[in-house]
């Protein structure tokens, strides 16, 4: 009878996840911790109301919605579910009411403590694994409560084997329930991320095609104008000399912007070669060091040796220059900018550029890479967009994290080199 009841609870627990899946696209409800908290709170309350009562205790899966609400909805959602559990338990009453309060508060403690760590995990499998491990904690709490209650209450247990089966069934179904529900939650999140990536890719492709067509059409007459102005500048030594020089410098800036548009539209990797990333980053650092010194900023680096990648050196250098230049410009006098190059066979290559500048809000971070968006007073925002486009074409990933008043960190990641590629490179070197 216990197993049937607990399987019913699994269905009750999965219902909120499926409802959340349906409404996840709705910004008002899908991302609201209150909505998640209410859904999981109803689920936890129903588990208690349809609990299996034996040995003076309620056997149910009320803590699975609690764990899910805390991990996937945040502290507010978790508190709503905890309130629903304590409220429903008060309504049911019974001799073990005090034990119910204690178990609820203790069961909620570990998920709350591990929430920050859970949010930092990026891979789906590791998040599910941690969710299952957190789901084991209420099992231990319930077991401790059961032992404490049986010790303090004069209950005659005739069948110890039956109680042991209860405990094993309860623990197994709880773990399966948490794992299954977290897998569904991760599927919902993955689906939403895929939709965002598809929308972003469509926007980039549309803007890229538009930028390329406009840039090609504008660059041709601009080149002609620039050529005639250069001739005039050489021959004219009169009062218009300074003006033609100014016009030429502005034309050069316009040409640079157009080239950025073309790089954004379709980065051209003309020469693929084996690049020593340590040397490349050192060159970029030396190139921008005068700019940093002028602004009173210290550049510090930690670069691993013998880290290689096959790519277009010039294109990648352009991307790194843009990102490092942004970090320098965002850093106040006497600030520091750190450059790190790390390599691991399992995690791949990571380049980290961190500054001690003014930082950004969460909203500003979310808009980085959007065409024409910049936090600087002057600029088009194209440099960052082009850099991200180049790195994306290299199968890399750019992640920004920032905090106001503390600075910004840019993490550029590339997947590990596959075994067959590594063997090919070794053969070429040998």
């Amino acid at each position: 009878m216990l197993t049937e009841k607990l399987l019913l609870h699994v269905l009750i627990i999965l219902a909120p996840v499926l409802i959340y899946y349906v409404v996840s696209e709705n910004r008002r409800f899908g991302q609201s911790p209150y909505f998640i908290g209410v859904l999981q709170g109803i689920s936890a309350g129903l588990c208690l109301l349809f609990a299996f009562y034996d040995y003076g205790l309620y056997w149910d899966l009320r803590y699975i919605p609690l764990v899910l609400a805390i991990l996937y909805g945040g502290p507010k959602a978790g508190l709503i579910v905890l309130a629903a559990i304590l409220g429903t338990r008060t309504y049911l009453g019974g001799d073990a009411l005090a034990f119910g309060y204690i178990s609820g508060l203790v069961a909620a403690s570990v998920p709350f403590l591990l929430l920050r760590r859970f949010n930092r995990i990026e891979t789906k499998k590791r998040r599910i694994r941690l969710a299952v491990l957190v789901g084991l904690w209420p099992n231990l709490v319930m077991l401790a409560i059961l032992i404490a209650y049986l010790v303090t209450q004069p209950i005659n247990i005739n069948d110890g084997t039956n109680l042991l089966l209860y405990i094993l069934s309860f623990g197994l179904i709880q773990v399966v329930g948490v794992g299954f529900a977290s897998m569904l939650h991760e599927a919902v999140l993955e689906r939403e991320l895929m939709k965002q990536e598809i929308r972003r890719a469509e926007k980039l492709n549309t803007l890229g095609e538009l930028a390329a067509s406009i840039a090609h059409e504008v660059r041709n007459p601009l080149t002609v104008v620039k050529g005639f102005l250069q001739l005039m500048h050489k021959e004219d030594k009169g009062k218009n000399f300074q003006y033609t020089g100014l016009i030429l410098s502005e034309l050069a800036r316009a040409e640079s912007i157009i080239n950025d548009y073309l790089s954004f539209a379709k980065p051209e990797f003309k020469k693929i070669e084996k690049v020593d990333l340590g040397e490349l980053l050192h060159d970029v650092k030396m190139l921008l060091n005068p700019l940093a010194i002028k602004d009173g900023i210290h550049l510090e680096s930690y670069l691993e040796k013998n880290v290689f990648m096959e790519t277009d050196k010039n294109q990648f250098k352009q991307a790194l220059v843009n990102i490092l230049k942004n970090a320098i410009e965002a850093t106040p006098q006497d600030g520091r900018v750190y450059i790190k190059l790390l390599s691991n066979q399992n995690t791949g290559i990571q380049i980290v550029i961190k500054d001690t500048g003014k930082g950004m809000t969460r909203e500003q971070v979310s808009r980085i890479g959007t065409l024409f968006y910049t936090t600087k007073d002057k600029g088009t925002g194209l440099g960052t967009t082009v850099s991200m486009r180049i790195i994306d074409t290299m199968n890399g990933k750019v992640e920004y994290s920032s905090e106001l008043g503390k600075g910004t960190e840019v993490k550029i990641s590339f997947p590990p080199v596959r075994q067959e590629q590594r063997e090919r490179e070794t053969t070429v070197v040998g």
Side-chain angles (χ1 to χ4, degrees):
M1 186 65 181
L2 173 66
T3 305
E4 287 83 349
K5 279 280 187 182
L6 294 179
L7 290 175
L8 172 64
H9 291 178
V10 172
L11 294 176
I12 292 171
I13 289 159
L14 294 179
V17 185
L18 296 174
I19 293 169
Y20 177 69
Y21 181 85
V22 173
V23 302
S24 61
E25 292 183 12
N26 188 311
R27 289 188 178 182
R28 184 179 176 186
F29 294 107
Q31 299 175 3
S32 170
Y34 301 104
F35 179 69
I36 296 171
V38 169
L39 276 180
Q40 298 290 2
I42 293 170
S43 175
L46 288 173
C47 285
L48 259 171
L49 291 172
F50 293 100
F52 182 76
Y53 187 79
D54 203 357
Y55 296 109
L57 294 172
Y58 290 96
W59 300 76
D60 57 81
L61 301 181
R62 76 191 88 160
Y63 294 126
I64 293 180
L66 178 65
V67 170
L68 295 174
I70 295 170
L71 296 182
Y72 291 99
K76 292 177 182 177
L79 289 171
I80 291 171
V81 178
L82 182 59
I85 289 172
L86 297 179
T88 309
R89 188 64 190 86
T90 304
Y91 169 76
L92 292 172
D95 297 333
L97 183 59
F99 287 98
Y101 289 153
I102 294 168
S103 67
L105 294 170
V106 175
S109 61
V110 169
F112 274 116
L113 290 172
L114 293 177
L115 175 59
R116 188 170 292 180
R117 181 181 174 185
F118 180 81
N119 288 332
R120 285 200 298 264
I121 296 174
E122 296 177 1
T123 59
K124 178 181 173 181
K125 288 183 180 179
R126 288 180 62 193
R127 284 166 66 90
I128 293 171
R129 197 180 300 133
L130 182 59
V132 172
L133 289 173
V134 174
L136 284 171
W137 170 247
N139 279 353
L140 299 175
V141 174
M142 293 289 283
L143 181 61
I145 293 293
L146 173 65
I147 294 169
Y149 182 71
L150 295 177
V151 168
T152 56
Q153 299 297 319
I155 294 176
N156 184 24
I157 303 173
N158 296 318
D159 190 1
T161 306
N162 191 46
L163 178 61
L164 183 62
L165 285 172
Y166 275 18
I167 294 169
L168 291 174
S169 300
F170 177 79
L172 180 62
I173 294 174
Q174 174 123 341
V175 170
V176 171
V178 171
F180 209 67
S182 62
M183 284 172 66
L184 281 177
H185 262 292
E186 290 296 332
V188 174
L189 295 174
E190 194 172 39
R191 170 174 166 263
E192 188 58 31
L193 284 173
M194 284 180 66
K195 284 191 172 183
Q196 288 177 7
E197 283 297 317
I198 290 168
R199 284 195 290 266
R200 179 175 168 272
E202 286 176 349
K203 284 181 181 178
L204 287 175
N205 285 332
T206 304
L207 288 168
E209 290 173 7
L210 181 64
S213 60
I214 293 172
H216 276 298
E217 293 300 322
V218 172
R219 191 164 65 168
N220 291 334
L222 200 65
T223 305
V224 176
V225 172
K226 186 180 176 182
F228 280 113
L229 276 170
Q230 284 173 337
L231 288 173
M232 291 171 61
H233 188 65
K234 285 180 181 178
E235 296 175 1
D236 187 6
K237 301 296 181 182
K239 61 180 180 179
N240 294 325
F241 182 79
Q242 58 178 337
Y243 299 124
T244 53
L246 183 63
I247 293 168
L248 281 170
S249 67
E250 289 301 303
L251 278 174
R253 194 165 73 90
E255 196 173 36
S256 174
I257 292 170
I258 288 171
N259 288 333
D260 281 344
Y261 269 119
L262 289 171
S263 296
F264 163 73
K266 190 177 180 181
E268 293 183 9
F269 286 23
K270 296 177 181 178
K271 184 183 178 184
I272 304 297
E273 58 185 311
K274 192 172 182 180
V275 179
D276 187 327
L277 295 184
E279 287 185 8
L280 181 62
L281 280 164
H282 179 73
D283 291 345
V284 171
K285 178 187 172 184
M286 291 296 101
L287 181 67
L288 293 175
N289 199 43
L291 175 65
I293 292 170
K294 180 176 73 72
D295 295 335
I297 296 161
H298 305 279
L299 289 181
E300 297 182 12
S301 61
Y302 169 79
L303 308 174
E304 285 190 7
K305 294 182 179 179
N306 299 320
V307 181
F308 297 94
M309 176 185 290
E310 288 189 357
T311 187
D312 187 311
K313 185 176 181 179
N314 292 328
Q315 288 282 355
F316 192 32
K317 187 175 183 179
Q318 179 191 350
L320 293 171
V321 166
N322 287 338
I323 293 171
L324 184 57
K325 185 169 176 283
N326 286 341
I328 293 170
E329 290 175 349
T331 306
Q333 193 170 5
D334 295 326
R336 294 181 183 275
V337 176
Y338 303 92
I339 309 162
K340 286 185 182 179
L341 170 63
L342 307 169
S343 177
N344 187 285
Q345 265 190 342
N346 298 319
T347 57
I349 298 168
Q350 282 193 348
I351 298 170
V352 180
I353 297 174
K354 186 177 181 181
D355 63 64
T356 57
K358 58 185 179 181
M360 293 180 285
T361 63
R362 188 174 294 180
E363 183 188 356
Q364 287 174 322
V365 171
S366 68
R367 294 183 64 187
I368 288 175
T370 306
L371 200 60
F372 303 123
Y373 178 75
T374 178
T375 57
K376 294 186 286 188
D377 296 330
K378 293 182 180 179
T380 61
L382 270 173
T384 304
T385 310
V386 168
S387 300
M388 293 179 75
R389 183 79 163 174
I390 290 169
I391 292 164
D392 184 60
T393 307
M394 294 168 60
N395 295 321
K397 186 179 179 184
V398 184
E399 293 176 282
Y400 278 80
S401 57
S402 186
E403 194 173 339
L404 280 174
K406 292 190 176 180
T408 302
E409 180 180 283
V410 185
K411 187 186 290 183
I412 305 168
S413 307
F414 296 96
V417 179
R418 289 179 296 184
Q419 185 63 34
E420 57 267 24
Q421 186 178 343
R422 195 180 293 114
E423 288 173 359
R424 190 168 64 248
E425 287 179 359
T426 306
T427 305
V428 171
V429 173

